[in-house]
Amino acid sequence: MAFKKRRVKLEDIARKLNISIATVSRALDENPRVKLSTREKVFMTAKAMGYMPNQIAKSLSSGKTNIIGVIIPRYDEPFFIEVCRGIDNYAREHNYKILISSSRNSFEFERENLISFERGLVDGIILSPTHETEMFAHIKNVINKGIPVVLFDNIREEVPGADHVIIEDDKASFNAVEFLIKKGKKKIAFIGGIKEKKVFQDRFKGYIDAMKQYEMTIDNDLILHCESLDREFEDAEIQKFFKEIKTQPDAVFTCTDNYGLLTMKTLLKLGYKIPEDISVIGFGDLGLGEVFVPSLTCVAQPSYEMGQKVAELLIAQFNEPNDVNHKKTVLKLKTELVIRDST
Amino acid sequence: MAFKKRRVKLEDIARKLNISIATVSRALDENPRVKLSTREKVFMTAKAMGYMPNQIAKSLSSGKTNIIGVIIPRYDEPFFIEVCRGIDNYAREHNYKILISSSRNSFEFERENLISFERGLVDGIILSPTHETEMFAHIKNVINKGIPVVLFDNIREEVPGADHVIIEDDKASFNAVEFLIKKGKKKIAFIGGIKEKKVFQDRFKGYIDAMKQYEMTIDNDLILHCESLDREFEDAEIQKFFKEIKTQPDAVFTCTDNYGLLTMKTLLKLGYKIPEDISVIGFGDLGLGEVFVPSLTCVAQPSYEMGQKVAELLIAQFNEPNDVNHKKTVLKLKTELVIRDST
DNA sequence: CTGTTAGCGCTTTCAA
DNA sequence: TTGAAAGCGCTAACAG
């Protein structure tokens, strides 16, 4: 093979068999209107000649690409990858591929990615907004062009026409904090993420609600909203928080697995015993918490299922007769508190 | 907007301006052969009409999709995600998108994915073979069709025509084991993965080489080749290994971060002190090892760089005049031993 | 500097 | 049951 071969196309098969391109196309489509014997002949020669359909030509002609565009804020967060795995799984079963793009936690990139998806490469879009995303005009724009959209995870504002899949963030953290209170904890600290992110707002709300409902005093000294998006800095922020803390907490509710682990690390280094002196709870439950010593009690988030649901909703939109008066679905997934050694 | 709008196309712009489609196409391409004033007019109207180029039509006509197909064995391994991040980064800078497919550790899926990529959807393919992949006919096939291919990580057999990017697995583990020996360790255990996987073979070789070179006795009782592909079972295998072990080791060299962490967990639960009683080394260094208490000494693998290199090689192939007599590049990336608290 | 025209490979009416 | 032919929206060679 010393040269790049020209690909076999329908025309080649047609010529070899002395039939028309249309018949070949129909035959390969297993169209029953083509005589069985012809169909068989076509199949054989197609195989013999090493025919491969051209996906691009098919797409142009049919107006469907069978590709789903996925935009996530970042790759290096197991939650998003797990969601993608769920999407991929469902999509594959329905003959779709996924094109993943990261918005790198930037609204500008999110917009760019979205625009590039408007160029007809994808049949629909799944998007998890960044913390920077305040305006949703770019998304509405896409929807107005008739491209189906499903949003998940961090949705600050409801977008008409798009399905939403989220988890019960407030309720989940309420339950976790309630669990600590019922264990007799008196000084429960809170560690969350950037305040702009809806999920962190909701998790904070759950904390506050539980504290109020059980008439605990809320001590601002025990509350930290991490501001960094980078592992390294998160670590530093958390270390600083516990070194400078005035009131000694007897429990910490944290808003991600990573915060939970970093908290345990810091506390262990400061000489605390977990869970004897202090309890720690994480959020997410994506594998790491189980291995740590002591293992981390977590709010378990159904990430993989979330991916599957999101894909399901999108593909359902594809099959709707009228995709513009699409009735929006808002799906709230349940979480579960997985109790381990850290509480 | 109560109906799905027909997209604006070149023809619409052309008609509105009373010029030809070709001119519009060239103008939007910023072709200097088009009069500046015409170009400007075209840009304005395109914008005003909300024109978006049709990527599919472009691809069919130009024969380029600007999409890179990536096939990885699994999503839930940070190494692969990190490589993808590197690929994505480089690709994006060069105006390519990536289509990720998981082969789910199965040769059959790998083949299927490859075949679906042969349908003209991607300009080139990046692939990390599964442990099951013994034959490379499916890959050679693709290369013979003139589709550029770059392989990385687990390559059992060199494939002519494809570039390879790997790390110095044997040397890396040699160095790690040597480090333990020089620390005065006498009973060094080895925990690796399935024997079919080339990377694990090489890492084992490095261990054996170091042990031989320093005239240490190799004790089969201290060697474990994990057979499971699932976290949960890995955990059980490692626990079993240490519970049944006859000789007490004073160090453990493990072939992945996860093995390292599971080993530490098991040892801590069995009452060992790390590093006082026993040292542990992991392989990969993808974030988790740093947080654990004690933090894990690791062979640091340049995963992100690997992704960038892989993408670079592929895109270089795109620009080669003759892609069939392509001179294969084999790139071996260096690793580094990051020393932390576990040794 | 601009227009005409012939594809790219496939799908799909319409006609036979 | 099959064929002819008109697109899908864009590119590019050629002509002017």
Side-chain angles (χ1 to χ4, degrees), chain A residues 71-74 101-106 109-110 113 128 130:
Chain A
I71 302 176
I72 53 174
R74 53 195 294 182
S101 260
S102 156
S103 52
R104 302 158 179 213
N105 279 318
S106 139
F109 276 121
E110 179 177 303
N113 284 336
S128 179
T130 72

Side-chain angles (χ1 to χ4, degrees), chain A residues 9-10 22 25 51 54 58 61:
Chain A
K9 47 186 176 174
L10 290 187
S25 170
Y51 171 74
N54 180 324
K58 260 188 144 122
S61 169

Side-chain angles (χ1 to χ4, degrees), chain B residues 260 263-268 271-280 292-296 341-343:
Chain B
T263 296
M264 289 210 290
K265 185 194 91 167
T266 303
L267 293 174
L268 288 174
Y272 286 81
K273 297 243 170 304
I274 302 173
E276 293 80 355
D277 303 339
I278 189 164
S279 292
V280 180
F292 208 91
V293 181
S295 59
L296 180 63
D341 299 340
S342 68
T343 52

